Amino acid sequence: WKAQYARDRDGKPMPFELVQQALEQTAPFEVFTLRAMIAVPYFEKALYELSEEDIVNREKVIALADEVEKRICGGLSARPLLSVPHIMSDESSCYYHGYVLAEMAVRQTRAYFLDKFGHLTDNSAIGPALTEKYWQCGNGEPFLGLVEAMTGAPLTSKAWVADLEEPLDQQIAKARAMYDAAVARESAPADVESLNMRLICSDGDTTLSDSQTDGGIAAAAAKFEAYVRKRFFEGGAGGKL
């Protein structure tokens, strides 16, 4: 999508060097995000397995959180487990299990689409597939069944783990190939008006643009862009975007 939409004022796509730089700075550390996510469910599981006597023992709960962090994250976390608000409220307990499962589903679905279609951005086949398999049924189907119906395979962590295990040089090479293919496709940008939505851009209580009165989404966005450029970049506060 960066090759298609991240363009400068002359219409040139973001240089691949910036895409590569972002990968080099983030990809090697993605596993820490995974570890931080799964640490919460592991802690909750251990917490709810405590005896009634121990679960109200402040020192034992703190020690348990520290033990889980060291075991899952490799050390005490910059975001202590007991600072996660979901754990402290009964209506949001076990929410992180859902976050982990959702990320697994995203990775598996993305891998499925890439294998089937070769690209994602502006692929008109993906929206209908998501609508049919994921959204149309509402809450009428179980989550695990949705993923299997879409991808043809039960939900697993395989795609997520594969992303994490892929060597950085291979990630860069794959990103380069996808970037070049996207530039070569030169597909027309998606028709934003087909979103059938109302866009209102505001600054506090002041409405800067409104797609309902300004001629559509693109026109409202352009009006907002002009406001930002005039206020922040043409009045001596900075240079061109």
Side-chain angles (χ1 to χ4, degrees):
W1 71 267
K2 294 174 182 175
Q4 178 65 28
Y5 289 101
R7 295 177 176 263
D8 63 19
R9 299 177 76 179
D10 297 321
K12 297 178 181 178
M14 173 190 290
F16 181 76
E17 289 73 20
L18 294 180
V19 178
Q20 178 174 334
Q21 185 181 79
L23 280 173
E24 292 170 341
Q25 293 177 346
T26 60
F29 310 106
E30 280 197 8
V31 68
F32 293 109
T33 300
L34 166 61
R35 287 174 178 267
M37 287 182 69
I38 65 175
V40 180
Y42 272 102
F43 170 66
E44 286 190 299
K45 179 178 184 294
L47 181 68
Y48 301 146
E49 289 175 345
L50 290 176
S51 66
E52 291 188 14
E53 179 182 349
D54 288 342
I55 205 169
V56 294
N57 186 307
R58 179 177 182 273
E59 287 71 25
K60 288 191 176 182
V61 171
I62 292 174
L64 179 63
D66 289 349
E67 185 276 323
V68 171
E69 284 185 3
K70 293 174 182 177
R71 176 161 52 90
I72 302 299
C73 301
L76 295 179
S77 175
R79 181 216 58 184
L81 275 173
L82 290 175
S83 71
V84 177
H86 304 67
I87 299 172
M88 306 301 171
S89 181
D90 58 350
E91 69 266 17
S92 59
S93 62
C94 297
Y95 258 43
Y96 260 76
H97 296 66
Y99 296 158
V100 175
L101 290 170
E103 183 66 23
M104 288 169 58
V106 167
R107 300 276 182 156
Q108 184 166 322
T109 303
R110 185 176 187 275
Y112 167 75
F113 281 146
L114 284 174
D115 182 63
K116 183 174 182 178
F117 300 121
H119 74 283
L120 305 178
T121 303
D122 290 344
N123 187 329
S124 61
I126 291 178
L130 290 172
T131 299
E132 178 186 356
K133 299 296 186 181
Y134 282 169
W135 302 331
Q136 203 164 45
C137 63
N139 290 327
E141 296 291 340
F143 170 69
L144 297 180
L146 293 176
V147 177
E148 185 167 5
M150 169 67 82
T151 66
L155 177 66
T156 70
S157 61
K158 182 178 178 181
W160 197 355
V161 173
D163 287 344
L164 296 173
E165 289 183 334
E166 188 172 37
L168 180 60
D169 58 341
Q170 291 184 22
Q171 291 189 48
I172 293 173
K174 183 183 295 184
R176 176 86 241 192
M178 295 174 69
Y179 176 93
D180 291 341
V183 171
R185 268 196 308 273
E186 293 187 346
S187 58
D191 177 17
V192 295
E193 307 302 334
S194 67
L195 292 172
N196 191 28
M197 58 172 277
R198 182 181 181 184
L199 172 66
I200 299 175
C201 299
S202 303
D203 183 0
D205 293 331
T206 303
T207 298
L208 305 176
S209 65
D210 184 339
S211 62
Q212 195 171 75
T213 58
D214 290 322
I217 297 173
K223 187 175 179 180
F224 174 68
E225 180 183 0
Y227 168 84
V228 172
R229 291 191 185 283
K230 182 176 180 180
R231 178 173 175 180
F232 297 103
F233 297 93
E234 296 176 5
K240 294 181 178 180
L241 282 176

